[in-house]
Amino acid sequence: MRKTIVAGNWKMNASKESVNKLVMGILSGMSDVSCEVVVCAPFPYLSQVEALITHSQVRLGAQNLNINTLGAFTGEVSAEMIKDFGAQYVVVGHSERRTLYGETNTIVAEKVKAALDSDLIPLFCVGETLEQREAGETENVIEAQINTVVDLVGIDAFLNIVVAYEPVWAIGTGVTASPEQAQAAHAFIRQRLANNNHDVAQQTPILYGGSMNAANAEELIACTDIDGGLIGGASLKPEDFLQICRVG
Ligand code: PGA
């Protein structure tokens, strides 16, 4: 049985006050939540969230990491630093980082490896742009994104990786992939992994991300190969986020 995971990606939205309200709000509604719940906070707030979620079932994640372990890398943050604040997850290869900060498939694969080397679980994001989808390249793009990681860390490492399928055209746009579109992409990802190892593919959680919200989460998560969600906008509202968690 695969784990269902609902992870909030707060992106660059936080203040000490808003983080306090958001986490307290989530914690107050967790009693009827059975899936794994993760909140991915900006670096300066990891410590605050770590303290707030102590003894709760909420898990902590970061949103990025550097591939090096330590040294002269001004402004960067290592996997060990993230772990030092009790985080268990880290988002890797988000399309915003690929597009805005030039993260190539190779860099993303190195970041996945750096996370795994420090026992952090990468929330490894893949997905196509609208242009690529319209050109019929969706599967090729996703396959290339996955291949680079499989080639570097090996298929068995996917026992400790969570994949997130995030069509770029659905992120922050309010346009969600239909359950059919999402399921087709998830099934393709699982089959791609199964080509290397069927058992590993069956055990790897594949989350959907891209305008998932309280209203559409249920029909998406009900799909055979959708094992939860990576939530941006709706993860900033405790009630909406909790509603998605309850479906998970
Ligand atoms: P969204 O973002 O839910 O706001 O579309 C998802 C993501 O970028 O992870």
Side-chain angles (χ1 to χ4, degrees):
M1 211 18 211
R2 289 188 294 272
K3 227 192 226 179
T4 303
I5 302 168
V6 174
N9 173 15
W10 297 348
K11 310 192 180 184
M12 203 172 74
N13 300 294
S15 67
K16 282 198 269 188
E17 196 188 336
S18 73
V19 164
N20 203 52
K21 265 199 203 145
L22 178 53
V23 176
M24 294 310 279
I26 294 169
L27 291 175
S28 71
M30 285 293 291
S31 56
D32 51 354
V33 171
S34 55
C35 69
E36 173 109 327
V37 175
V38 185
V39 291
C40 298
F43 292 135
Y45 300 93
L46 290 178
S47 173
Q48 185 185 350
V49 180
E50 178 190 28
L52 287 167
I53 63 173
T54 314
H55 305 308
S56 82
Q57 28 168 160
V58 176
R59 303 284 169 250
L60 179 58
Q63 298 175 12
N64 183 30
L65 78 168
N66 187 274
I67 59 171
N68 298 287
T69 50
L70 81 177
F73 303 100
T74 302
E76 293 295 306
V77 174
S78 71
E80 287 300 321
M81 292 175 185
I82 292 167
K83 270 199 57 174
D84 211 12
F85 289 95
Q88 296 175 22
Y89 289 86
V90 60
V91 178
V92 176
H94 191 280
S95 70
E96 285 150 20
R97 297 218 53 91
R98 291 178 187 266
T99 313
L100 301 172
Y101 302 101
E103 292 193 9
T104 59
N105 283 346
T106 306
I107 293 171
V108 170
E110 285 172 351
K111 289 191 173 193
V112 167
K113 183 173 186 309
L116 291 169
D117 287 348
S118 289
D119 292 325
L120 282 172
I121 300 170
L123 293 165
F124 162 47
C125 304
V126 299
E128 80 290 357
T129 63
L130 185 58
E131 207 178 24
Q132 289 164 336
R133 172 164 283 263
E134 285 175 347
E137 288 170 3
T138 298
E139 294 188 349
N140 287 344
V141 168
I142 296 172
E143 188 164 25
Q145 291 168 335
I146 292 177
N147 286 352
T148 326
V149 172
V150 174
D151 289 348
L152 187 67
V153 300
I155 189 68
D156 289 350
F158 276 76
L159 291 171
N160 297 307
I161 292 174
V162 174
V163 177
Y165 169 62
E166 298 209 310
V168 180
W169 46 272
I171 296 177
T173 58
V175 181
T176 316
S178 68
E180 294 73 26
Q181 286 172 320
Q183 167 57 28
H186 282 234
F188 174 78
I189 292 166
R190 201 173 308 285
Q191 186 54 49
R192 164 64 196 86
L193 298 176
N195 292 344
N196 282 71
N197 186 315
H198 176 81
D199 291 344
V200 171
Q202 286 308 314
Q203 290 177 62
T204 305
I206 307 175
L207 315 186
Y208 170 80
S211 298
M212 190 188 264
N213 57 39
N216 60 30
E218 190 158 14
E219 55 175 3
L220 285 161
I221 294 178
C223 296
T224 318
D225 289 295
I226 301 183
D227 307 310
L230 181 56
I231 323 296
S235 74
L236 298 170
K237 298 175 209 136
E239 258 322 308
D240 289 22
F241 186 61
L242 279 167
Q243 248 179 285
I244 301 170
C245 294
R246 287 186 190 114
V247 173

